[in-house]
Amino acid sequence: MPPRPTPTRRPLVADDQKKGGFLSDLFAPVGGFGVTFATMFRKVATTEYPEVKRPTAQRFHGRHQLNRHPDGLEKCVGCELCAWACPADAILVEGANNDDSEGGAGRFSPGERYGRVYQINYLRCIFCGLCIEACPTRALTMTNEYEMADNNRADLIFTKEQLLAPLQGGMATPPHPMVEGLEERDYYLGKVSEATTTQQAWVEGHHSRAAGQEVSS
């Protein structure tokens, strides 16, 4: 008759599990308060906006800006490539020809054309930056400004006057001719530093003539 196998002793797993469950249930509220107390002494990460404004990253995609050349002429040549590249169809551009003829509208950019109408609908814009990548003249860039919320839908359609960069020192108000002796490519090669005295005189004469026409009419 073969010998009977010796029975093995089963580990007390059930008792250990019961003990662990009881202890965890007992100290669970204390552990939760421990996390709370530890968090109370940490530095607060919340920024009290709008009283305190958190600085944005250097390459943050904010509100757009239409840039100028150092003499005041606009960099936008009305090519409409930014509008074609926009995946949200948020940009509207209407180009027009520069008119240097006597009594014409004048010159607003060094190119053959300029952006007569420029609008960005910020209700559609997703701030992807594809428009500034498509711009061949670096006329359109994105600033760090992000405070554009409004309660009126019409006010969120920015026009050219709102997007155009303000005049800086040494610039003349367009329209006015290009710097004497320079071509369009010279502007993009950085050969223009500021408006010349001839350009300043042309602008003053243009404004005086326009004022005289308004008075006579």
Side-chain angles (χ1 to χ4, degrees):
M1 183 175 181
R4 298 177 60 184
T6 304
T8 57
R9 185 177 179 182
R10 298 177 59 187
L12 300 177
V13 178
D15 296 339
D16 295 341
Q17 289 180 349
K18 290 181 180 179
K19 185 182 296 184
F22 173 75
L23 293 176
S24 61
D25 293 340
L26 180 63
F27 291 102
V30 180
F33 282 117
V35 174
T36 303
F37 288 131
T39 308
M40 290 174 59
F41 300 99
R42 293 180 182 177
K43 184 178 179 180
V44 179
T46 304
T47 303
E48 297 295 335
Y49 179 85
E51 289 78 11
V52 179
K53 298 180 181 179
R54 186 176 182 179
T56 58
Q58 186 176 3
R59 296 176 64 86
F60 178 80
H61 285 183
R63 185 182 67 85
H64 298 74
Q65 176 175 282
L66 290 173
N67 300 309
R68 299 177 183 269
H69 288 287
D71 63 346
L73 289 178
E74 302 168 8
K75 289 187 176 182
C76 179
V77 295
C79 65
E80 304 181 17
L81 287 177
C82 54
W84 283 101
C86 180
D89 195 20
I91 302 178
L92 171 65
V93 183
E94 292 183 5
N97 294 327
N98 288 306
D99 188 3
D100 292 334
S101 61
E102 186 67 25
R107 175 173 291 277
F108 292 87
S109 73
E112 297 180 0
R113 293 165 59 83
Y114 72 99
R116 183 179 63 86
V117 176
Y118 202 104
Q119 295 180 359
I120 296 181
N121 187 346
Y122 282 107
L123 295 170
R124 294 183 175 181
C125 179
I126 58 176
F127 298 92
C128 62
L130 291 179
C131 52
I132 64 176
E133 298 293 338
C135 182
T137 62
R138 296 295 295 166
L140 186 66
T141 54
M142 301 183 78
T143 65
N144 287 45
E145 182 179 346
Y146 56 86
E147 296 179 308
M148 295 180 293
D150 208 305
N151 57 1
N152 187 0
R153 296 175 64 89
D155 292 337
L156 290 173
I157 301 177
F158 281 44
T159 61
K160 178 181 175 180
E161 289 73 20
Q162 296 172 281
L163 298 171
L164 197 60
L167 292 170
Q168 303 294 332
M171 294 183 178
T173 306
H176 60 73
M178 293 191 295
V179 177
E180 301 83 354
L182 297 185
E183 300 178 355
E184 179 184 358
R185 62 179 180 179
D186 296 326
Y187 274 78
Y188 302 104
L189 292 176
K191 297 183 179 180
V192 179
S193 58
E194 61 180 5
T196 61
T197 55
T198 305
Q199 289 175 313
Q200 296 284 3
W202 192 96
V203 171
E204 294 176 0
H206 177 76
H207 288 315
S208 62
R209 289 192 300 270
Q213 293 176 358
E214 291 180 359
V215 171
S216 60
S217 61

